[in-house]
Amino acid sequence: MSRVPSLSSPFLLGFDEIERALDRVVKGADGYPPYNIERCERSNGDPEKLRITLAVAGFTRDQLDVTVEENQLVIRGRQQDDKTRQYIHRGIAARHFQRTFVLADGMQVLGADLKNGLLSIDLIRPEPERVIKTIAITEHE
């Protein structure tokens, strides 16, 4: 797969960190666990709300971690093998996973909920404050 240098325009200054973050996300995506990202309805001027839902059947709340690390939402799952069981056939393996989502500036995680094998994480994106700053021009003779 060839990569299009989308952020290499001379008019896009200071975006090299974003490009590195995108590279990390693409390299770390193995497909497990499957997930959905949905946009939730806005009401009366509320900020945009997103929900990430991951299928984590077999994981308990204690086996899941949801953290924000340097503008990245990181979800980790850790399961331990039960050494006391003797399997005749084992088709469900204990797995570890890490799923990472890069968050835009200003994105906030509201909370996480585990129900029926689905981990839902709610986020909001408040409207950015519009700032106009006038730059003084000095004249040299």
Side-chain angles (χ1 to χ4, degrees):
M1 179 173 137
S2 63
R3 194 160 89 57
V4 178
S6 58
L7 299 176
S8 64
S9 168
F11 298 109
L12 299 173
L13 303 175
F15 288 93
D16 39 332
E17 184 61 35
I18 293 172
E19 198 163 13
R20 282 192 292 275
L22 290 172
D23 286 341
R24 280 194 309 268
V25 168
V26 168
K27 289 177 185 172
D30 72 350
Y32 181 80
Y35 65 93
N36 291 334
I37 302 174
E38 61 185 294
R39 181 173 286 123
C40 302
E41 277 191 48
R42 286 187 184 196
S43 60
N44 299 337
D46 286 344
E48 180 179 26
K49 183 177 177 184
L50 302 175
R51 176 171 292 141
I52 300 171
T53 304
L54 293 92
V56 292
F59 285 86
T60 64
R61 188 176 59 81
D62 295 335
Q63 295 170 328
L64 296 167
D65 289 316
V66 178
T67 59
V68 176
E69 303 169 11
E70 299 178 13
N71 282 352
Q72 293 185 39
L73 174 64
V74 181
I75 301 108
R76 292 182 181 91
R78 293 181 182 83
Q79 288 181 322
Q80 300 296 322
D81 277 330
D82 186 353
K83 304 292 184 193
T84 62
R85 289 183 161 180
Q86 294 181 356
Y87 293 96
I88 295 171
H89 169 77
R90 185 164 185 189
I92 303 171
R95 288 185 81 162
H96 299 297
F97 73 85
Q98 178 173 311
R99 174 70 71 184
T100 303
F101 299 90
V102 176
L103 302 177
D105 286 341
M107 291 289 293
Q108 300 170 7
V109 178
L110 294 178
D113 181 55
L114 180 63
K115 183 177 180 183
N116 297 329
L118 297 174
L119 176 65
S120 297
I121 303 164
D122 290 334
L123 304 104
I124 59 167
R125 181 188 350 221
E127 287 293 323
E129 186 178 309
R130 307 246 184 252
V131 177
I132 298 175
K133 182 179 177 183
T134 303
I135 308 300
I137 301 172
T138 58
E139 186 175 339
H140 296 282
E141 295 189 34

